[in-house]
Amino acid sequence: MNSQVFLKEPSAELQGQSERRKGYARELLKQALVKARGLGIDLALVVCDAVNTASERTIRGNGGRQIEDFVEPDGNVIRRFWIETGSGQ
């Protein structure tokens, strides 16, 4: 089974500067992983731009194990992480 779920982090305009660093993104990813587990997905590939250190912390905080980066044609570097959802346990 090949499933793709795309989540885009809300922009600062929508999120509001005062809502940063409160753990909302970490909880959102956690809940997405729970949903993936419920769909029978054992391993989730989660990515972020290399310059987005906040997203990288969120991914690592949810158990992300970094694999090789991917470089887009325009030179943008994408960090890639595997996260086990626990469905195989």
Side-chain angles (χ1 to χ4, degrees):
M1 182 167 131
N2 182 8
S3 297
Q4 293 183 331
V5 178
F6 296 94
L7 299 175
K8 183 104 171 121
E9 191 174 325
S11 67
E13 298 83 39
L14 296 175
Q15 195 174 19
Q17 293 293 333
S18 65
E19 299 305 307
R20 292 183 179 266
R21 301 191 58 86
K22 291 187 177 179
Y24 297 136
R26 186 175 288 196
E27 183 61 26
L28 178 64
L29 179 54
K30 178 182 172 184
Q31 293 301 318
L33 293 168
V34 168
K35 180 70 171 175
R37 181 174 52 235
L39 294 171
I41 298 169
D42 298 327
L43 201 55
L45 178 65
V46 183
V47 302
C48 67
D49 287 344
V51 297
N52 192 335
T53 57
S55 288
E56 183 173 339
R57 281 192 308 271
T58 296
I59 295 166
R60 289 182 186 279
N62 275 284
R65 290 180 289 116
Q66 188 171 356
I67 58 174
E68 72 277 357
D69 291 344
F70 175 79
V71 180
E72 295 177 316
D74 65 0
N76 187 46
V77 178
I78 303 295
R79 297 256 188 262
R80 301 174 350 135
F81 302 85
W82 285 117
I83 302 179
E84 294 182 18
T85 67
S87 66
Q89 298 174 358

Coordinates of all heavy atoms in Angstrom, one line a residue:
M1 N 0.8 -1.2 0.0 CA 0.0 0.0 0.0 C 0.9 1.2 0.0 O 1.8 1.3 0.8 CB -0.9 0.0 1.3 CG -1.8 1.1 1.3 SD -3.0 0.8 2.6 CE -2.9 2.4 3.5
N2 N 0.6 2.2 -0.8 CA 1.3 3.4 -0.9 C 0.4 4.5 -0.7 O -0.5 4.8 -1.4 CB 2.0 3.5 -2.3 CG 2.8 4.8 -2.5 OD1 3.1 5.5 -1.5 ND2 3.2 5.1 -3.7
S3 N 0.6 5.2 0.5 CA -0.3 6.3 0.8 C 0.5 7.6 1.0 O 1.6 7.5 1.5 CB -1.0 6.0 2.1 OG -1.9 4.9 2.0
Q4 N 0.0 8.7 0.6 CA 0.6 10.0 0.8 C -0.4 10.9 1.5 O -1.5 11.0 1.1 CB 1.1 10.6 -0.5 CG 2.2 9.8 -1.2 CD 2.6 10.5 -2.5 OE1 1.9 11.2 -3.1 NE2 3.9 10.3 -2.8
V5 N 0.1 11.5 2.5 CA -0.7 12.5 3.2 C 0.2 13.8 3.3 O 1.4 13.7 3.7 CB -1.0 12.1 4.7 CG1 -1.8 13.2 5.4 CG2 -1.8 10.8 4.6
F6 N -0.4 14.9 2.8 CA 0.4 16.1 2.8 C -0.2 17.1 3.8 O -1.4 17.4 3.8 CB 0.4 16.8 1.4 CG 1.0 15.9 0.4 CD1 0.3 15.0 -0.4 CD2 2.4 16.0 0.2 CE1 1.0 14.3 -1.3 CE2 3.1 15.3 -0.7 CZ 2.3 14.4 -1.5
L7 N 0.6 17.5 4.8 CA 0.2 18.5 5.7 C 1.1 19.7 5.5 O 2.3 19.6 5.4 CB 0.4 18.0 7.2 CG -0.4 16.8 7.5 CD1 0.0 16.3 8.9 CD2 -1.9 17.1 7.5
K8 N 0.5 20.9 5.5 CA 1.3 22.1 5.3 C 1.2 22.9 6.6 O 0.1 23.1 7.1 CB 0.8 22.9 4.1 CG 1.6 24.1 3.8 CD 2.5 23.9 2.6 CE 3.1 25.2 2.2 NZ 4.5 25.2 2.2
E9 N 2.3 23.4 7.1 CA 2.3 24.1 8.3 C 1.5 25.5 8.0 O 1.8 26.1 7.0 CB 3.7 24.4 8.7 CG 3.8 25.0 10.1 CD 5.3 25.1 10.5 OE1 6.1 24.2 10.2 OE2 5.6 26.1 11.2
P10 N 0.6 25.9 8.9 CA -0.1 27.2 8.7 C 0.9 28.3 8.7 O 1.9 28.3 9.4 CB -1.0 27.3 10.0 CG -1.1 25.9 10.5 CD 0.2 25.2 10.1
S11 N 0.7 29.3 7.9 CA 1.6 30.4 7.8 C 1.5 31.3 9.1 O 0.5 31.2 9.8 CB 1.2 31.3 6.6 OG -0.1 31.9 6.8
A12 N 2.5 32.1 9.3 CA 2.5 33.0 10.4 C 1.3 33.9 10.5 O 0.8 34.2 11.6 CB 3.8 33.8 10.5
E13 N 0.8 34.3 9.3 CA -0.4 35.2 9.3 C -1.6 34.5 9.8 O -2.4 35.1 10.5 CB -0.7 35.6 7.8 CG 0.4 36.4 7.2 CD 1.5 35.6 6.6 OE1 1.2 34.5 6.0 OE2 2.7 35.9 6.7
L14 N -1.8 33.2 9.5 CA -2.9 32.5 10.0 C -2.7 32.0 11.4 O -3.7 32.0 12.2 CB -3.2 31.2 9.1 CG -3.5 31.5 7.6 CD1 -3.6 30.2 6.9 CD2 -4.8 32.2 7.5
Q15 N -1.5 31.6 11.7 CA -1.2 31.1 13.0 C -1.1 32.1 14.1 O -1.5 31.9 15.2 CB 0.0 30.2 12.9 CG 0.3 29.3 14.1 CD 1.5 28.5 13.8 OE1 2.3 28.7 13.0 NE2 1.6 27.4 14.5
G16 N -0.6 33.3 13.7 CA -0.3 34.3 14.7 C 1.0 34.1 15.4 O 1.3 33.0 15.9
Q17 N 1.8 35.1 15.5 CA 3.1 35.0 16.2 C 3.0 34.5 17.6 O 3.8 33.8 18.1 CB 3.8 36.3 16.1 CG 4.2 36.8 14.7 CD 5.3 35.9 14.1 OE1 6.1 35.2 14.8 NE2 5.3 35.8 12.8
S18 N 1.9 34.9 18.3 CA 1.7 34.5 19.7 C 1.4 33.0 19.9 O 1.5 32.5 21.0 CB 0.7 35.4 20.4 OG -0.6 35.1 19.8
E19 N 1.1 32.3 18.8 CA 0.8 30.9 18.9 C 2.0 30.0 18.6 O 1.9 28.8 18.7 CB -0.3 30.6 18.0 CG -1.6 31.3 18.3 CD -2.1 31.1 19.7 OE1 -2.2 30.0 20.2 OE2 -2.3 32.1 20.4
R20 N 3.1 30.6 18.4 CA 4.3 29.8 18.1 C 4.9 29.2 19.4 O 4.7 29.8 20.4 CB 5.4 30.7 17.4 CG 5.0 31.1 16.0 CD 6.1 31.9 15.4 NE 5.8 32.3 14.0 CZ 6.1 31.5 12.9 NH1 6.8 30.4 13.1 NH2 5.7 31.9 11.7
R21 N 5.6 28.1 19.2 CA 6.3 27.4 20.3 C 5.4 27.0 21.4 O 5.8 27.0 22.6 CB 7.5 28.3 20.8 CG 8.5 28.7 19.7 CD 9.7 29.3 20.2 NE 10.4 28.5 21.2 CZ 11.3 27.5 20.9 NH1 11.6 27.2 19.6 NH2 11.9 26.8 21.8
K22 N 4.2 26.6 21.1 CA 3.3 26.1 22.1 C 3.0 24.6 21.9 O 2.2 24.1 22.6 CB 1.9 26.9 22.1 CG 2.1 28.3 22.5 CD 0.8 29.0 22.6 CE 0.9 30.4 23.2 NZ -0.4 31.1 23.2
G23 N 3.7 24.0 21.0 CA 3.5 22.6 20.8 C 2.4 22.1 19.9 O 2.1 21.0 19.7
Y24 N 1.7 23.1 19.2 CA 0.6 22.7 18.3 C 1.0 21.9 17.2 O 0.4 20.9 16.8 CB -0.1 24.0 17.8 CG -0.8 24.8 18.9 CD1 -0.6 26.2 18.9 CD2 -1.5 24.2 20.0 CE1 -1.2 27.0 19.9 CE2 -2.1 25.0 20.9 CZ -1.9 26.4 20.9 OH -2.5 27.1 21.9
A25 N 2.1 22.2 16.5 CA 2.6 21.5 15.4 C 3.0 20.1 15.8 O 2.7 19.1 15.1 CB 3.8 22.2 14.7
R26 N 3.7 19.9 16.9 CA 4.1 18.6 17.4 C 2.8 17.7 17.6 O 2.8 16.6 17.3 CB 4.9 18.7 18.7 CG 5.4 17.4 19.1 CD 6.4 17.5 20.3 NE 7.6 18.1 19.8 CZ 8.7 18.1 20.5 NH1 8.8 17.5 21.7 NH2 9.8 18.6 20.1
E27 N 1.8 18.3 18.2 CA 0.6 17.6 18.5 C -0.1 17.2 17.2 O -0.7 16.2 17.1 CB -0.3 18.4 19.4 CG -1.6 17.6 19.8 CD -1.4 16.3 20.6 OE1 -0.4 16.2 21.2 OE2 -2.3 15.5 20.5
L28 N -0.2 18.2 16.3 CA -0.8 17.9 15.0 C -0.1 16.7 14.3 O -0.8 15.8 13.8 CB -0.7 19.1 14.1 CG -1.3 19.0 12.7 CD1 -2.8 18.7 12.7 CD2 -1.1 20.3 11.9
L29 N 1.2 16.7 14.3 CA 1.9 15.6 13.6 C 1.7 14.3 14.4 O 1.5 13.2 13.8 CB 3.4 15.9 13.6 CG 4.3 14.8 12.9 CD1 3.8 14.4 11.6 CD2 5.7 15.2 12.9
K30 N 1.7 14.4 15.7 CA 1.4 13.2 16.5 C 0.0 12.6 16.2 O -0.1 11.4 16.0 CB 1.4 13.6 18.0 CG 1.1 12.4 18.9 CD 1.1 12.9 20.4 CE 0.6 11.9 21.3 NZ 0.5 12.4 22.7
Q31 N -1.0 13.4 16.0 CA -2.3 13.0 15.7 C -2.4 12.4 14.3 O -3.1 11.4 14.0 CB -3.4 14.1 15.9 CG -3.6 14.5 17.3 CD -4.0 13.3 18.2 OE1 -4.9 12.5 17.8 NE2 -3.4 13.2 19.4
A32 N -1.6 13.0 13.3 CA -1.6 12.5 12.0 C -0.9 11.1 12.0 O -1.4 10.2 11.2 CB -0.8 13.5 11.1
L33 N 0.1 10.9 12.8 CA 0.7 9.6 12.9 C -0.3 8.5 13.5 O -0.3 7.4 13.1 CB 2.0 9.7 13.7 CG 3.1 10.5 13.0 CD1 4.2 10.8 14.0 CD2 3.6 9.8 11.8
V34 N -1.1 9.0 14.5 CA -2.1 8.1 15.0 C -3.1 7.7 13.9 O -3.4 6.5 13.8 CB -2.8 8.7 16.2 CG1 -4.1 7.9 16.6 CG2 -1.9 8.9 17.4
K35 N -3.5 8.6 13.1 CA -4.4 8.3 12.0 C -3.7 7.4 11.0 O -4.4 6.4 10.5 CB -4.8 9.7 11.3 CG -5.7 9.5 10.1 CD -7.1 9.1 10.6 CE -8.1 9.2 9.4 NZ -9.4 8.7 9.8
A36 N -2.5 7.6 10.7 CA -1.7 6.8 9.8 C -1.7 5.3 10.3 O -1.9 4.4 9.6 CB -0.3 7.3 9.5
R37 N -1.4 5.2 11.6 CA -1.4 3.9 12.3 C -2.7 3.2 12.1 O -2.8 2.0 11.8 CB -1.0 4.0 13.7 CG -1.0 2.7 14.4 CD -0.5 2.8 15.9 NE -1.2 3.8 16.6 CZ -0.7 4.8 17.3 NH1 0.6 5.0 17.3 NH2 -1.4 5.6 18.0
G38 N -3.8 4.0 12.3 CA -5.2 3.4 12.1 C -5.5 3.0 10.7 O -6.3 2.1 10.4
L39 N -4.8 3.5 9.7 CA -4.9 3.1 8.3 C -4.0 2.0 7.9 O -3.9 1.6 6.8 CB -4.6 4.4 7.4 CG -5.6 5.5 7.5 CD1 -5.1 6.7 6.8 CD2 -7.0 5.1 7.0
G40 N -3.2 1.5 8.9 CA -2.3 0.4 8.6 C -1.0 0.8 8.1 O -0.2 0.0 7.6
I41 N -0.6 2.1 8.2 CA 0.7 2.6 7.7 C 1.7 2.4 8.8 O 1.5 2.9 9.9 CB 0.6 4.0 7.3 CG1 -0.4 4.2 6.1 CG2 1.9 4.6 6.9 CD1 -0.8 5.6 5.8
D42 N 2.7 1.6 8.5 CA 3.7 1.3 9.5 C 4.8 2.3 9.6 O 5.4 2.6 10.7 CB 4.4 -0.1 9.2 CG 3.5 -1.2 9.2 OD1 2.5 -1.2 10.0 OD2 3.7 -2.2 8.5
L43 N 5.1 2.9 8.5 CA 6.3 3.8 8.4 C 5.9 5.0 7.6 O 5.4 4.9 6.5 CB 7.4 3.1 7.7 CG 8.8 3.6 7.9 CD1 9.2 3.7 9.4 CD2 9.8 2.7 7.2
A44 N 6.0 6.2 8.2 CA 5.7 7.5 7.5 C 6.9 8.2 7.1 O 7.8 8.4 7.9 CB 4.8 8.3 8.5
L45 N 6.9 8.7 5.9 CA 8.0 9.6 5.4 C 7.5 11.0 5.6 O 6.5 11.4 5.1 CB 8.3 9.3 3.9 CG 9.4 10.2 3.3 CD1 10.7 10.0 4.0 CD2 9.4 10.0 1.8
V46 N 8.2 11.8 6.4 CA 7.9 13.1 6.8 C 9.0 14.0 6.3 O 10.2 13.7 6.6 CB 7.6 13.3 8.3 CG1 7.1 14.7 8.6 CG2 6.6 12.3 8.8
V47 N 8.7 15.1 5.6 CA 9.7 16.0 5.1 C 9.5 17.4 5.4 O 8.4 17.8 5.8 CB 9.8 15.8 3.5 CG1 10.1 14.4 3.1 CG2 8.5 16.3 2.9
C48 N 10.6 18.2 5.4 CA 10.5 19.6 5.5 C 11.7 20.3 4.8 O 12.7 19.6 4.5 CB 10.5 20.0 7.0 SG 12.1 19.7 7.9
D49 N 11.6 21.6 4.5 CA 12.7 22.3 3.9 C 13.8 22.3 5.0 O 13.6 22.5 6.2 CB 12.3 23.7 3.6 CG 11.4 23.8 2.4 OD1 11.3 22.9 1.6 OD2 10.8 24.9 2.2
A50 N 15.0 22.2 4.5 CA 16.2 22.2 5.4 C 16.3 23.5 6.2 O 16.8 23.5 7.3 CB 17.5 22.0 4.5
V51 N 15.8 24.6 5.6 CA 15.9 25.9 6.4 C 14.9 26.0 7.4 O 14.9 26.9 8.3 CB 15.8 27.1 5.4 CG1 17.0 27.1 4.4 CG2 14.5 27.1 4.7
N52 N 13.9 25.1 7.5 CA 12.8 25.2 8.4 C 13.1 24.4 9.7 O 12.7 23.3 9.9 CB 11.5 24.7 7.8 CG 10.3 25.0 8.6 OD1 10.4 25.2 9.8 ND2 9.1 25.1 8.0
T53 N 13.9 25.0 10.6 CA 14.4 24.3 11.7 C 13.3 24.0 12.7 O 13.4 23.0 13.4 CB 15.5 25.1 12.4 OG1 15.0 26.4 12.8 CG2 16.7 25.2 11.6
A54 N 12.2 24.8 12.8 CA 11.1 24.5 13.6 C 10.4 23.2 13.2 O 10.1 22.4 14.1 CB 10.1 25.7 13.6
S55 N 10.2 23.0 11.9 CA 9.6 21.8 11.5 C 10.5 20.6 11.7 O 10.0 19.5 12.1 CB 9.2 21.9 10.0 OG 8.2 22.8 9.8
E56 N 11.8 20.8 11.6 CA 12.7 19.7 11.8 C 12.6 19.3 13.3 O 12.6 18.1 13.6 CB 14.1 20.1 11.4 CG 15.1 19.0 11.6 CD 16.5 19.3 11.1 OE1 16.7 20.2 10.3 OE2 17.4 18.6 11.6
R57 N 12.6 20.2 14.2 CA 12.4 19.9 15.6 C 11.1 19.2 15.9 O 11.1 18.2 16.7 CB 12.5 21.2 16.5 CG 13.9 21.7 16.7 CD 13.9 22.8 17.8 NE 12.9 23.9 17.6 CZ 13.1 25.0 16.9 NH1 14.3 25.2 16.3 NH2 12.2 25.9 16.8
T58 N 10.0 19.6 15.2 CA 8.7 18.9 15.4 C 8.8 17.5 14.9 O 8.3 16.6 15.6 CB 7.7 19.7 14.6 OG1 7.5 21.0 15.1 CG2 6.3 19.0 14.6
I59 N 9.4 17.3 13.8 CA 9.6 15.9 13.3 C 10.4 15.0 14.2 O 10.1 13.9 14.5 CB 10.1 15.9 11.8 CG1 9.1 16.6 10.9 CG2 10.4 14.5 11.3 CD1 9.7 17.0 9.5
R60 N 11.6 15.6 14.6 CA 12.4 14.8 15.5 C 11.8 14.5 16.8 O 11.9 13.5 17.4 CB 13.7 15.6 15.7 CG 14.7 15.6 14.5 CD 16.0 16.3 14.8 NE 16.8 16.4 13.6 CZ 17.6 15.5 13.1 NH1 17.7 14.3 13.7 NH2 18.3 15.7 12.0
G61 N 11.0 15.5 17.3 CA 10.2 15.3 18.5 C 9.2 14.3 18.5 O 8.7 13.8 19.5
N62 N 8.8 13.8 17.3 CA 7.8 12.8 17.1 C 8.5 11.5 16.7 O 7.9 10.6 16.2 CB 6.8 13.2 16.1 CG 5.6 13.9 16.7 OD1 4.8 13.4 17.4 ND2 5.6 15.2 16.5
G63 N 9.8 11.4 16.9 CA 10.6 10.2 16.6 C 11.2 10.1 15.2 O 11.6 9.0 14.8
G64 N 11.2 11.2 14.5 CA 11.8 11.2 13.2 C 13.3 10.8 13.1 O 14.1 11.3 13.9
R65 N 13.6 9.8 12.3 CA 15.0 9.4 12.0 C 15.4 9.9 10.6 O 14.8 9.4 9.6 CB 15.1 7.8 12.1 CG 14.9 7.3 13.5 CD 15.0 5.8 13.5 NE 13.8 5.2 12.9 CZ 13.9 4.4 11.8 NH1 15.0 4.2 11.2 NH2 12.8 3.9 11.2
Q66 N 16.3 10.8 10.6 CA 16.7 11.4 9.3 C 17.4 10.4 8.4 O 18.2 9.6 8.8 CB 17.6 12.6 9.6 CG 17.9 13.4 8.4 CD 18.7 14.7 8.6 OE1 18.9 15.0 9.8 NE2 19.0 15.4 7.6
I67 N 17.0 10.5 7.1 CA 17.7 9.8 6.1 C 18.3 10.8 5.1 O 18.4 12.0 5.5 CB 16.7 8.8 5.3 CG1 15.5 9.6 4.7 CG2 16.2 7.7 6.3 CD1 14.6 8.7 3.9
E68 N 18.7 10.4 3.9 CA 19.4 11.3 3.1 C 18.5 12.5 2.6 O 17.3 12.3 2.5 CB 20.0 10.6 1.8 CG 18.9 10.2 0.8 CD 18.3 8.8 1.2 OE1 18.6 8.2 2.2 OE2 17.4 8.4 0.4
D69 N 19.1 13.7 2.5 CA 18.4 14.8 2.0 C 18.0 14.6 0.5 O 18.7 13.9 -0.2 CB 19.2 16.1 2.1 CG 19.4 16.5 3.6 OD1 18.6 16.0 4.5 OD2 20.3 17.3 3.8
F70 N 17.0 15.4 0.1 CA 16.7 15.4 -1.4 C 16.8 16.8 -1.8 O 16.4 17.8 -1.2 CB 15.2 15.0 -1.5 CG 14.7 15.1 -2.9 CD1 15.1 14.1 -3.9 CD2 13.9 16.2 -3.3 CE1 14.6 14.3 -5.2 CE2 13.5 16.3 -4.6 CZ 13.8 15.3 -5.6
V71 N 17.5 17.0 -3.0 CA 17.7 18.4 -3.5 C 16.8 18.5 -4.7 O 16.9 17.7 -5.7 CB 19.2 18.6 -3.9 CG1 19.3 20.0 -4.5 CG2 20.1 18.4 -2.7
E72 N 15.9 19.5 -4.7 CA 15.0 19.8 -5.8 C 15.7 20.5 -6.9 O 16.9 21.0 -6.7 CB 13.9 20.7 -5.3 CG 13.0 20.1 -4.2 CD 11.9 21.0 -3.7 OE1 12.2 22.2 -3.4 OE2 10.8 20.5 -3.5
P73 N 15.2 20.5 -8.1 CA 15.8 21.1 -9.3 C 16.3 22.5 -9.1 O 17.3 22.9 -9.6 CB 14.8 20.9 -10.4 CG 14.0 19.8 -10.0 CD 13.9 19.8 -8.5
D74 N 15.5 23.2 -8.2 CA 15.9 24.7 -8.0 C 16.9 24.8 -6.9 O 17.3 25.9 -6.6 CB 14.6 25.5 -7.7 CG 14.0 25.1 -6.3 OD1 14.5 24.1 -5.7 OD2 13.0 25.7 -6.0
G75 N 17.4 23.7 -6.4 CA 18.5 23.7 -5.3 C 17.9 23.7 -3.9 O 18.7 23.6 -3.0
N76 N 16.6 23.8 -3.7 CA 16.0 23.7 -2.4 C 16.3 22.3 -1.8 O 16.1 21.3 -2.4 CB 14.5 24.0 -2.5 CG 13.9 24.1 -1.1 OD1 14.4 24.7 -0.2 ND2 12.8 23.4 -0.9
V77 N 16.8 22.3 -0.6 CA 17.1 21.0 0.1 C 16.0 20.6 1.0 O 15.5 21.4 1.8 CB 18.4 21.2 0.9 CG1 18.7 19.9 1.7 CG2 19.6 21.6 0.0
I78 N 15.5 19.4 0.8 CA 14.5 18.8 1.6 C 15.0 17.8 2.5 O 15.7 16.9 2.1 CB 13.4 18.1 0.7 CG1 12.9 19.1 -0.4 CG2 12.3 17.5 1.5 CD1 12.1 20.2 0.2
R79 N 14.8 18.0 3.8 CA 15.2 17.0 4.9 C 14.1 15.9 4.9 O 12.9 16.2 4.8 CB 15.3 17.6 6.2 CG 16.3 18.7 6.3 CD 17.5 18.2 7.1 NE 18.4 19.2 7.4 CZ 19.5 19.5 6.6 NH1 19.8 18.8 5.6 NH2 20.3 20.5 6.9
R80 N 14.5 14.6 4.9 CA 13.6 13.5 4.9 C 13.8 12.7 6.2 O 14.9 12.4 6.6 CB 13.8 12.7 3.7 CG 13.6 13.5 2.4 CD 13.9 12.8 1.1 NE 14.6 11.5 1.2 CZ 14.2 10.5 0.4 NH1 13.2 10.5 -0.4 NH2 14.9 9.4 0.5
F81 N 12.7 12.3 6.8 CA 12.7 11.5 8.0 C 11.7 10.3 7.9 O 10.6 10.5 7.4 CB 12.3 12.4 9.2 CG 13.1 13.6 9.4 CD1 12.9 14.7 8.7 CD2 14.2 13.6 10.3 CE1 13.7 15.9 8.9 CE2 14.9 14.7 10.5 CZ 14.7 15.8 9.8
W82 N 12.0 9.2 8.5 CA 11.1 8.1 8.7 C 10.6 8.2 10.1 O 11.4 8.4 11.1 CB 11.8 6.8 8.5 CG 12.0 6.4 7.0 CD1 13.2 6.2 6.5 CD2 11.1 6.2 6.0 NE1 13.1 5.9 5.2 CE2 11.8 5.9 4.8 CE3 9.7 6.2 6.0 CZ2 11.1 5.6 3.6 CZ3 9.0 6.0 4.8 CH2 9.7 5.7 3.6
I83 N 9.3 7.9 10.3 CA 8.7 7.8 11.7 C 7.9 6.5 11.7 O 7.0 6.4 10.9 CB 7.8 9.0 12.0 CG1 8.6 10.3 12.0 CG2 7.2 8.8 13.4 CD1 7.8 11.5 12.3
E84 N 8.2 5.7 12.6 CA 7.4 4.5 12.8 C 6.1 4.8 13.5 O 6.1 5.6 14.5 CB 8.2 3.4 13.7 CG 9.4 2.9 12.9 CD 10.2 1.9 13.8 OE1 9.6 1.3 14.7 OE2 11.3 1.6 13.4
T85 N 5.0 4.4 13.0 CA 3.7 4.7 13.6 C 3.3 3.8 14.6 O 2.4 4.1 15.4 CB 2.6 4.8 12.5 OG1 2.4 3.5 12.0 CG2 3.0 5.7 11.4
G86 N 3.9 2.6 14.7 CA 3.5 1.6 15.7 C 2.5 0.6 15.3 O 2.0 -0.2 16.1
S87 N 2.0 0.7 14.0 CA 0.9 -0.2 13.6 C 1.3 -1.6 13.5 O 0.5 -2.5 13.6 CB 0.3 0.2 12.3 OG 1.3 0.1 11.2
G88 N 2.6 -1.9 13.4 CA 3.1 -3.3 13.3 C 3.3 -3.9 14.7 O 3.7 -5.0 14.8
Q89 N 3.1 -3.2 15.7 CA 3.3 -3.7 17.1 C 2.1 -4.4 17.7 O 1.0 -4.1 17.3 CB 3.7 -2.5 18.0 CG 5.0 -1.9 17.5 CD 5.4 -0.6 18.3 OE1 4.7 -0.2 19.2 NE2 6.5 0.0 18.0

